[in-house]
């Protein structure tokens, strides 16, 4: 077993797979990719509807839960994180969404670095993109990351889109040009009806064919190794990793790149002595760097699921509630790679404002031709659709904190949902807007009836409390190792994603994942993470040279 490499990448998820591809392209550089999960050879990873069998499955999911949340009236939520090659891109909703141009302009202001402006990040989105419509001013073609049109449509979703337009939301055929306001079907990361994960896109066959590349699966990093340099600063020289039922020390001559995600990356920094001093001392960990921002600034999108019964139109509820219906669904996918088995969890999207005072679209709808009590529960026996709405720019902030000094113990995840008056107001307003859309003439022929949450809830206070009762995560945690300026005491990395300490930078250590986002993007977060990794790969290569 080789234990010395030029680069060690921790986490074979969305960012890690792209980094592995870019850094190992130079045959003189030896690259190790470490993944705590197993290989992505589980068949349900590759069938789009298989997320139902991957989330909550220890084969592919870390099985995290949040702490009981005051804003959710004491509830704890399941908190899925991918634990396999491809990471969350192997179990997520496959929606291709960049966010809004102003999100990235805000990043540039917060970091003092124009490299994060929209016009500067757009080329990095396009660099790895393979858009089904081909190359254009907004999209790339020929890259590894396939963006496809969905292979299905539903009458009830078409009617919702028409109702949204009647309520003042314009139609759009592209959410990814910098202004995603509008209603339309999502584009998805699929290829010919199969899920297209980052492991498929960036590892095979390319990386696997390179003799200078290794990937270790079932290999969980326990600690980052820091050593003192002659100038008094520190350098990350390698990692200790649990693999093959033994602890192995692996050295990196150039960089260790932490791409374990918004939950595991701050956890590993804290376990390694980089984090809030009081927290580390509480668990008997030597404080190498008192970094109060590590594990703070956690942001997530919280979705409020409104369910409406309908008449005279087919939905997945009744289509999948008989053996004959299930057989027809299976046959359609087997022969055409289309139909419900090719479905992303949400098919139709809409971006709009919760009230007229909002400067940008601040809420996103995920609309589905189905309904259920909770994720993982059986579909309802009646025809219905679900209109889930989330606040795109929540002001609530949470934390990720280690529970012990044992790397095998899950951290405490506290998103702190609905903890601000502003977030509670957006929740109430968005539920009212949902009702206004459903009341439009386009849906009248289907006689929609609100069965969840229920029309009896009307006041701001009632609707905000109701949101706490029924809302769930949409699986977009970011921000827990955020980037910022050198004089920002809560910034964890600089604008080139290098880890700060009090006197400068810890040499040879970067964080490259969704945790570095200072503010959450206005939309699904997988593809912005890929863009971050694309920029980081270029910087890593430039710095080495």
């Amino acid at each position: 077993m080789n234990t010395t490499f030029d680069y060690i990448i921790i986490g074979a998820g969305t960012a890690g797979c792209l980094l592995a591809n870019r850094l190992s392209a130079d045959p003189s550089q030896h690259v190790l990719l470490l993944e705590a999960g197993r290989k992505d050879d589980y068949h349900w990873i590759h069938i789009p509807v298989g997320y139902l069998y991957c989330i909550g499955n220890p084969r592919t999911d870390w099985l995290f839960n949040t702490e009981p949340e005051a804003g959710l009236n004491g509830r704890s939520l399941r908190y899925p994180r991918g634990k396999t090659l491809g990471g969350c891109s192997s179990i997520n909703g496959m929606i291709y969404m960049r966010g809004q141009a102003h999100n990235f302009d805000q990043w540039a202001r917060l970091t003092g670095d124009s490299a994060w402006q929209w016009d500067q990040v757009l080329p990095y989105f396009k660099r790895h993109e393979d858009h089904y419509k081909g190359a254009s001013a907004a999209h790339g073609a020929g890259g590894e990351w396939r963006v496809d049109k969905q292979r299905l449509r539903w009458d009830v979703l078409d009617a919702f889109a028409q109702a949204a337009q009647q309520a003042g939301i314009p139609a759009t055929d592209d959410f990814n040009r910098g202004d995603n306001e509008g209603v339309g079907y999502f584009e998805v990361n699929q290829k010919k009806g199969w899920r297209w994960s980052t492991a498929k896109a960036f590892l095979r066959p390319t990386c696997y064919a390179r003799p200078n590349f290794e990937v270790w699966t079932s290999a969980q990093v326990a600690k980052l190794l820091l050593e003192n340099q002659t100038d008094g600063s520190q350098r990350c020289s390698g990692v200790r990793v649990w693999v093959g039922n033994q602890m192995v020390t692996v050295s990196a001559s150039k960089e260790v790149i932490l791409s374990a995600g918004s939950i595991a990356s701050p956890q590993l920094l804290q376990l390694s002595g980089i984090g809030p001093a009081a927290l580390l001392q509480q668990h008997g960990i030597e404080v190498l760097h008192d970094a109060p921002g590590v594990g703070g600034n956690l942001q997530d999108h919280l979705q409020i699921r409104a369910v409406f019964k309908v008449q005279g139109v087919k939905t997945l509820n009744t289509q999948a509630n008989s053996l004959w219906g299930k057989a027809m669904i299976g046959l359609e996918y087997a022969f055409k790679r289309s139909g419900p088995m090719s479905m992303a969890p949400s098919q139709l999207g809409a971006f709009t404002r919760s009230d007229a005072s909002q400067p940008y679209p601040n809420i996103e709808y995920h609309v589905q031709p189905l309904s259920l009590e909770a994720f993982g529960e059986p579909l309802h026996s009646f025809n219905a659709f679900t209109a889930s709405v989330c606040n795109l720019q929540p002001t609530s902030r949470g934390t990720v904190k280690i529970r012990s000094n044992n790397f095998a113990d899950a951290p405490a995840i506290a998103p702190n949902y609905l903890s601000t008056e502003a977030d509670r107001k957006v929740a109430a307003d968005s539920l009212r807007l949902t009702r206004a859309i459903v009341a439009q003439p386009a849906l009248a022929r289907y006689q929609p009836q609100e069965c969840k949450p229920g029309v009896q809830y009307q006041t701001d206070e009632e609707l905000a409390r109701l949101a706490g009762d029924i809302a769930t995560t949409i699986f977009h945690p970011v921000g827990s190792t955020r980037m910022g300026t050198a004089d920002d005491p809560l910034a964890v990395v600089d604008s080139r994603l290098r880890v700060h300490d009090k006197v400068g930078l810890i040499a040879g250590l970067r964080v490259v994942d969704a945790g570095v986002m200072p503010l959450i993007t206005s939309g699904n977060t997988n593809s912005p993470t890929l863009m971050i990794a694309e920029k980081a790969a270029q910087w890593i290569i430039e710095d080495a040279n």
Side-chain angles (χ1 to χ4, degrees):
M1 177 183 285
N2 184 17
T3 57
T4 302
F5 295 84
D6 294 295
Y7 298 104
I8 298 172
I9 303 165
I10 303 169
T14 297
C17 288
L18 183 143
L19 287 166
N21 182 292
R22 300 298 187 249
L23 298 181
S24 65
D26 180 347
S28 70
Q29 303 303 306
H30 290 83
V31 176
L32 174 64
L33 179 61
L34 296 170
E35 170 54 44
R38 292 161 58 184
K39 293 180 179 179
D40 59 336
D41 52 6
Y42 181 48
H43 67 284
W44 280 119
I45 290 173
H46 308 291
I47 299 170
V49 80
Y51 68 90
L52 290 168
Y53 306 99
C54 291
I55 292 175
N57 182 344
R59 171 70 178 76
T60 47
D61 183 0
W62 282 95
L63 304 180
F64 292 145
N65 291 282
T66 70
E67 299 297 284
E69 288 278 303
L72 302 185
N73 305 323
R75 290 188 299 134
S76 174
L77 298 183
R78 180 187 290 178
Y79 218 67
R81 296 285 87 200
K83 189 180 183 182
T84 184
L85 291 177
C88 289
S89 77
S90 289
I91 69 170
N92 71 359
M94 297 164 282
I95 291 171
Y96 182 71
M97 189 64 60
R98 294 171 177 172
Q100 296 168 4
H102 79 94
N103 298 147
F104 304 100
D105 294 341
Q106 285 177 308
W107 291 10
R109 287 193 294 272
L110 289 169
T111 61
D113 190 342
S114 62
W116 291 108
Q117 291 176 180
W118 168 250
D119 62 347
Q120 298 297 308
V121 302
L122 179 58
Y124 293 86
F125 279 111
K126 293 170 64 176
R127 182 173 292 184
H128 50 255
E129 187 180 14
D130 184 24
H131 197 274
Y132 75 99
K133 288 184 179 178
S136 67
H139 293 286
E144 299 93 342
W145 195 228
R146 180 67 180 176
V147 179
D148 249 340
K149 184 178 182 179
Q150 292 190 67
R151 302 165 75 90
L152 77 170
R153 56 166 294 280
W154 294 82
D155 289 342
V156 72
L157 297 187
D158 292 345
F160 187 96
Q162 293 165 11
Q165 292 170 58
Q166 291 169 348
I169 303 172
T172 184
D173 62 353
D174 190 348
F175 288 120
N176 289 298
R177 290 186 288 238
D179 176 6
N180 56 18
E181 185 166 17
V183 60
Y185 279 88
F186 289 121
E187 294 173 338
V188 290
N189 295 120
Q190 295 180 6
K191 192 168 187 177
K192 298 180 180 178
W194 298 99
R195 173 188 289 274
W196 197 243
S197 71
T198 57
K200 286 182 177 178
F202 298 101
L203 296 188
R204 62 175 176 267
T206 316
C207 286
Y208 293 145
R210 294 171 176 166
N212 60 318
F213 171 76
E214 289 188 33
V215 57
W216 297 358
T217 53
S218 300
Q220 185 170 356
V221 176
K223 188 176 184 181
L224 306 172
L225 301 177
L226 274 64
E227 61 181 24
N228 293 320
Q229 300 193 104
T230 54
D231 63 359
S233 65
Q234 287 197 312
R235 176 182 178 276
C236 186
S237 60
V239 299
R240 295 182 66 209
V241 55
W242 181 257
V243 59
N245 292 319
Q246 60 178 327
M247 195 66 76
V248 176
T249 297
V250 189
S251 299
S253 63
K254 291 188 175 176
E255 288 200 25
V256 173
I257 304 148
L258 188 48
S259 297
S262 295
I263 305 303
S265 285
Q267 177 192 19
L268 189 51
L269 287 169
Q270 291 168 7
L271 289 169
S272 305
I274 305 169
L279 175 67
L280 306 190
Q281 291 164 349
Q282 175 187 343
H283 296 298
I285 296 171
E286 180 185 1
V287 181
L288 299 180
H289 297 285
D290 180 10
V294 173
N297 193 50
L298 179 65
Q299 300 161 58
D300 191 13
H301 289 143
L302 186 73
Q303 64 177 342
I304 308 169
R305 297 171 56 85
V307 175
F308 297 85
K309 290 183 180 180
V310 287
Q311 307 291 327
V313 66
K314 184 193 303 181
T315 69
L316 189 61
N317 286 10
T318 52
Q319 187 176 353
N321 267 344
S322 70
L323 290 176
W324 174 251
K326 290 175 181 175
M328 294 304 294
I329 289 170
L331 287 170
E332 181 177 2
Y333 187 74
F335 288 102
K336 296 183 179 179
R337 294 288 179 267
S338 63
M341 286 187 70
S342 74
M343 281 171 56
S346 299
Q347 298 77 50
L348 186 78
F351 291 81
T352 189
R353 294 163 171 81
S354 60
D355 70 78
S357 71
Q358 299 292 334
Y360 302 99
N362 70 314
I363 58 174
E364 176 184 10
Y365 282 93
H366 293 79
V367 193
Q368 306 118 16
L370 55 85
S371 66
L372 36 74
E373 284 303 306
F375 187 86
E377 296 290 317
L379 297 173
H380 288 140
S381 59
F382 48 81
N383 279 312
F385 68 88
T386 300
S388 292
V389 61
C390 73
N391 179 356
L392 290 169
Q393 292 292 310
T395 54
S396 299
R397 297 291 183 268
T399 57
V400 179
K401 297 179 180 179
I402 52 172
R403 298 179 190 271
S404 75
N405 58 15
N406 185 345
F407 73 93
D409 290 343
I413 304 166
N416 214 16
Y417 297 119
L418 299 176
S419 60
T420 67
E421 187 57 39
D423 288 358
R424 291 190 290 272
K425 179 70 165 60
V426 171
D429 288 345
S430 63
L431 280 168
R432 287 197 185 92
L433 181 58
T434 304
R435 289 170 172 170
I437 293 170
V438 174
Q440 297 300 315
L443 277 165
R445 64 186 180 275
Y446 300 138
Q447 304 172 53
Q449 290 183 297
E450 182 178 329
C451 62
K452 190 176 183 179
V455 293
Q456 66 271 32
Y457 303 101
Q458 293 292 334
T459 68
D460 277 8
E461 184 179 349
E462 287 173 335
L463 291 173
R465 179 168 182 82
L466 180 79
D469 285 336
I470 67 173
T472 62
T473 175
I474 208 164
F475 318 137
H476 296 163
V478 308
S480 53
T481 52
R482 71 174 175 86
M483 55 179 160
T485 55
D487 59 356
D488 181 350
L490 296 180
V492 178
V493 298
D494 72 357
S495 65
R496 288 170 74 101
L497 313 186
R498 298 169 295 193
V499 177
H500 288 296
D501 67 16
K502 288 185 177 179
V503 295
L505 298 170
I506 299 174
L509 180 61
R510 280 182 223 243
V511 181
V512 183
D513 56 35
V516 305
M517 297 183 189
L519 292 171
I520 194 167
T521 52
S522 297
N524 310 69
T525 52
N526 186 251
S527 289
T529 303
L530 211 51
M531 176 277 293
I532 290 168
E534 190 78 84
K535 290 184 76 72
Q538 178 174 312
W539 289 331
I540 291 165
I541 293 168
E542 287 174 357
D543 289 354
N545 293 333

